[in-house]
């Protein structure tokens, strides 16, 4: 069944289709309509789930952790400052190996108070151990929520996923989303049934004092899980394509095969970049775009495979690590370490400023006329 | 899964033998918290009214609701909560290792 939905509806419907058992949320700003929609779905009896209302985002994540630990499938959503308040609990969820899925509407961090797109909120949670996906459109939001439960729940992964969608450009923009029927989705996503859980019949203590004797090994196992996730993501994407007909991967290369210039992007900028690439291709310029879907696990090999055949690379970031450069630019450069291919670091659209096709074309023009540099502010009013 | 039981303490040698998350390999029975104790609570049978308030408050829990209540000295960590909560001053403390 196809519907015209905003990104927030697509996220809420994704959680509904995944038949989550528990939704916990704090309802006040910076919360979005995602949990409001879910509360209605639960109240209407369309989803057999418990909706736990809590007093903060920190508690929302804590409630998800508790519920997931007994074997429930859980979901929550947040944004910007709310995600920041969850920070401590994000570590508890990941190191507790609880495959929670959370939608995060990427909004700029305050001050100044903002409800517009910027990925600083999620990038700041990079090292919590969560997998992180950045979506380009509302269909991808819906699909990614389903795939994230499947990937995260594998015994050799057991990791939570943050599904990111740009504020307004997705959260409040309506697009056609194919929701599929219950049977097809249930066949794709089996019930969650973890081997180790809080169970009175098999008493254990979770997250207790861990000495240096064991902590190191738990960290080692987290890294192995992230590495396993890389192949599980590919596997699950392939199965998803077979069942639903849409192709996903760790990355998406658009017209990169013979491209001399490759633009690296993520989120909604990736969609605009495709249009910009088409325009430049029409003018005979050999330009391609590489969309990074996963910040963690970072697709090092996949990124290198595409970029190694380019002559020059430009990375467009919708966030900055103050005192350094764009966060994805750092990742791409590190992945490309040892390569002689020049890489430019561009900043665009921070705080929800529009990034137009012309802006993206200006990136390529800049690369033609200038030596590589790490911080180029597109459209800043200097 | 390799589990070596060495006087009831489970010894895990390799990452592969560990669960994915820091979860105990069994119940907290193996975690004998008595080793921390510096004071020992002692229930005075003649003063005790069997109200079981100590049993409710012991956080371990290391008190059995028997007649009179009995303290499990393998797990009592000597926090003194039972001493504080007993309304009849029926629990006294003694310094450990005296
Ligand atoms: S001292 Fe603390 S642990 Fe020991 S019996 Fe009393 S309440 Fe329980
Ligand atoms: S609280 Fe005091 S009186 Fe009550 S059962 Fe315990 S020791 Fe006895």
């Amino acid at each position: 069944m196809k519907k015209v939905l905003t990104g927030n509806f697509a996220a809420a419907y994704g959680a509904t289709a995944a038949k989550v058992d528990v939704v916990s949320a704090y309802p006040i700003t910076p919360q979005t309509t995602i949990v409001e929609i879910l509360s209605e779905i639960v109240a209407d009896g369309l989803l057999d789930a418990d909706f736990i209302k809590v007093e903060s985002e920190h508690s929302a994540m804590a409630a998800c952790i508790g519920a997931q630990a007994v074997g429930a499938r859980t979901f929550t959503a947040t944004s910007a400052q709310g995600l920041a308040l969850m920070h401590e609990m994000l570590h508890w969820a990941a190191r507790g190996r609880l495959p929670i899925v959370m939608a995060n509407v990427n909004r700029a961090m305050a001050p100044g108070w903002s409800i517009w797109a910027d990925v600083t909120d999620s990038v700041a949670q990079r090292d919590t151990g969560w997998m992180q996906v950045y979506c380009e459109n509302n269909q991808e939001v819906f699909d990614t929520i389903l795939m994230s439960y499947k990937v995260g729940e594998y015994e050799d992964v057991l990791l939570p996923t943050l599904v990111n969608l740009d504020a307004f450009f997705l959260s409040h923009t309506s697009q056609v989303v194919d929701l599929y029927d219950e049977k097809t989705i249930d066949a794709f996503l089996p019930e969650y049934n973890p081997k180790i859980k809080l169970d009175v019949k098999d008493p254990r203590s979770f997250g207790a004092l861990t000495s240096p004797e064991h902590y190191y090994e738990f960290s080692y196992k987290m890294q192995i899980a992230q590495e396993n996730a890389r192949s599980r993501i590919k596997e699950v994407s392939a199965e998803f394509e077979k069942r639903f007909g849409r192709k996903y991967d760790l990355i998406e290369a658009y017209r990169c095969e013979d491209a001399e210039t490759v633009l690296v992007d993520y989120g909604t900028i990736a969609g605009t970049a495709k249009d910009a690439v088409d325009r430049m291709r029409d003018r005979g310029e050999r330009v391609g775009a590489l969309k990074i879907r996963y910040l963690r696990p970072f697709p090092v090999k996949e990124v290198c495979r595409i970029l190694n055949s380019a002559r020059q690379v430009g990375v467009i970031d919708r966030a900055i690590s103050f005192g350094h450069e764009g966060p994805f630019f750092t990742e791409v450069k590190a992945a490309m370490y040892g390569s002689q291919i020049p890489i430019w670091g561009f900043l665009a659209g921070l705080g929800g400023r529009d990034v137009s096709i012309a802006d993206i074309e200006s990136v390529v023009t800049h690369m033609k006329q200038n030596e590589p540099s790490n911080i180029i502010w597109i459209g800043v009013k200097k | 899964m390799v589990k070596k039981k060495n006087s009831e303490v489970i010894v895990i040698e390799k990452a592969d033998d560990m669960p994915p998350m820091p979860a105990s390999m069994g119940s907290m029975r193996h975690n004998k918290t008595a080793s921390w104790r510096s004071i020992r609570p002692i229930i005075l049978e003649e003063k005790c009214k069997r109200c079981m308030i100590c049993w409710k408050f012991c956080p371990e829990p290391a008190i059995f609701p028997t007649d009179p209540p009995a303290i499990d000295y393998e797990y009592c960590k000597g926090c003194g909560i039972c001493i504080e909560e007993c309304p009849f001053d029926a629990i006294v403390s003694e310094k450990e290792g005296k």
Side-chain angles (χ1 to χ4, degrees):
Chain A
M1 183 186 28
K2 284 185 181 169
K3 278 200 167 191
V4 177
L5 299 177
T6 64
N8 286 345
F9 267 93
Y13 286 2
T16 308
K19 294 194 171 154
V20 296
D21 304 300
V22 172
V23 180
S24 178
Y26 177 66
I28 320 296
T29 305
Q31 187 54 272
T32 63
T33 50
I34 297 174
V35 295
E36 189 182 325
I37 299 157
L38 273 166
S39 75
E40 282 169 15
I41 292 172
V42 173
D44 291 347
L46 301 171
L47 173 66
D48 181 20
D50 286 311
F51 193 99
I52 310 175
K53 284 163 273 184
V54 288
E55 73 286 7
S56 76
E57 282 84 0
H58 189 277
S59 304
M61 185 43 61
C64 285
I65 289 168
Q68 192 87 23
V70 299
R73 185 178 277 160
T74 69
F75 180 83
T76 185
T78 190
S79 194
Q81 245 72 13
L83 183 64
L85 185 52
M86 275 184 192
H87 177 76
E88 185 210 352
M89 286 293 126
L90 297 183
H91 285 277
W92 276 93
R95 295 194 65 100
R97 305 297 294 276
L98 302 167
I100 299 165
V101 173
M102 169 160 63
N104 177 55
V105 175
N106 278 127
R107 283 176 172 169
M109 296 299 291
W113 191 249
S114 167
I115 47 174
W116 294 277
D118 190 302
V119 302
T120 306
D121 58 350
S122 51
V123 168
Q125 309 304 336
R126 188 193 63 185
D127 298 337
T128 52
W130 283 58
M131 294 188 270
Q132 282 200 25
V133 196
Y134 290 80
C135 298
E136 181 188 330
N137 54 51
N138 296 347
Q139 181 73 63
E140 189 174 347
V141 171
F142 179 85
D143 295 347
T144 302
I145 288 173
L146 291 180
M147 287 189 280
S148 297
Y149 281 111
K150 181 140 181 161
V151 170
E153 289 170 9
Y154 275 107
E155 219 188 310
D156 62 355
V157 178
L158 292 179
L159 290 171
T161 308
L162 190 64
V163 178
N164 292 292
L165 56 148
D166 281 341
F168 284 97
F169 302 124
L170 292 188
S171 69
H172 290 66
T173 305
S174 295
Q175 298 173 345
V176 175
V177 178
D178 198 338
L179 297 172
Y180 285 89
D181 60 297
E182 200 177 328
K183 261 196 191 157
T184 319
I185 289 169
D186 289 353
F188 170 73
L189 186 63
E191 269 184 37
Y192 174 52
N193 206 353
K195 271 203 186 141
I196 299 178
K197 59 182 177 187
L198 260 180
D199 182 357
V200 284
K201 290 189 213 94
D202 177 23
R204 291 165 177 274
S205 71
F206 287 79
L209 185 73
T210 307
S211 69
E213 189 67 40
H214 295 120
Y215 190 96
Y216 196 48
E217 279 68 27
F218 283 120
S219 299
Y220 166 77
K221 288 168 87 80
M222 284 281 291
Q223 175 60 15
I224 299 286
Q226 283 275 350
E227 283 164 19
N228 292 342
R230 278 205 190 97
S231 39
R232 290 295 190 186
I233 290 161
K234 284 180 165 295
E235 209 179 290
V236 168
S237 302
E239 187 192 336
F240 190 89
E241 190 186 357
K242 243 186 241 154
R243 289 179 188 269
F244 301 89
R246 278 184 303 279
K247 193 175 158 62
Y248 295 101
D249 201 338
L250 290 150
I251 55 163
E252 184 193 337
Y254 184 75
R255 304 186 79 169
C256 285
E257 305 80 35
D258 62 338
E260 287 176 357
T261 304
V262 174
L263 302 175
V264 182
D265 48 43
Y266 49 89
T268 50
I269 292 179
T272 315
K274 285 175 186 167
D275 287 327
V277 164
D278 287 345
R279 276 210 207 171
M280 291 183 274
R281 285 269 177 185
D282 288 346
R283 291 198 300 264
E285 294 180 55
R286 280 161 64 182
V287 183
L290 173 65
K291 172 172 98 172
I292 296 183
R293 291 189 71 236
Y294 277 83
L295 175 61
R296 288 291 179 274
F298 193 77
V300 176
K301 258 195 237 153
E302 291 75 8
V303 165
C304 289
R305 189 169 45 79
I306 301 297
L307 298 186
N308 275 332
S309 56
R311 289 233 194 107
Q312 51 185 9
V313 173
V315 183
I316 306 171
D317 266 298
R318 199 193 275 279
I320 179 165
S321 171
F322 295 116
H324 198 35
E325 58 201 12
F328 279 67
F329 175 58
T330 306
E331 301 279 343
V332 171
K333 262 194 314 179
M336 295 285 288
Y337 179 73
S339 142
Q340 298 304 309
I341 300 164
I343 312 181
W344 281 258
F346 295 94
L347 299 168
L350 274 63
R353 177 87 53 92
D354 271 339
V355 180
S356 64
I357 293 177
D359 288 330
I360 291 170
E361 287 175 320
S362 81
V363 161
V364 178
T365 311
H366 181 100
M367 287 163 74
K368 276 186 208 150
Q369 296 167 353
N370 299 277
E371 288 297 304
S373 59
N374 296 349
I375 306 170
I376 305 134
W377 296 82
I378 298 298
V380 78
K381 299 163 195 155
K382 274 199 248 193
Chain B
M1 193 176 284
V2 184
K3 266 195 196 178
K4 269 198 202 166
K5 284 202 175 174
N6 171 8
S7 63
E8 286 241 327
V9 174
I10 298 174
V11 179
I12 306 157
E13 287 168 341
K14 295 200 305 272
D16 285 350
D17 300 331
M18 291 161 63
M21 70 292 282
S24 66
M25 300 286 279
S27 75
M28 288 304 276
R29 209 159 36 84
H30 300 289
N31 192 9
K32 295 204 172 141
T33 40
S35 59
W36 313 339
R37 193 172 60 228
S38 60
I39 62 142
R40 171 182 286 254
I42 293 164
I43 296 175
L44 307 173
E45 206 181 322
E46 61 290 358
K47 273 188 144 187
C48 171
K49 302 277 191 282
R50 278 64 165 170
C51 66
M52 299 302 154
I53 285 176
C54 55
W55 167 71
K56 280 184 199 147
F57 274 94
C58 173
E60 268 315 300
I63 299 181
F64 298 112
T66 47
D67 180 8
I71 293 172
D72 185 340
Y73 290 108
E74 282 205 306
Y75 297 99
C76 163
K77 61 188 175 189
C79 66
I81 288 173
C82 55
I83 302 168
E84 183 67 27
E85 295 297 336
C86 172
F88 305 103
D89 296 329
I91 312 181
V92 293
S93 80
E94 203 174 74
K95 234 189 160 139
E96 202 59 70
K98 215 168 57 174

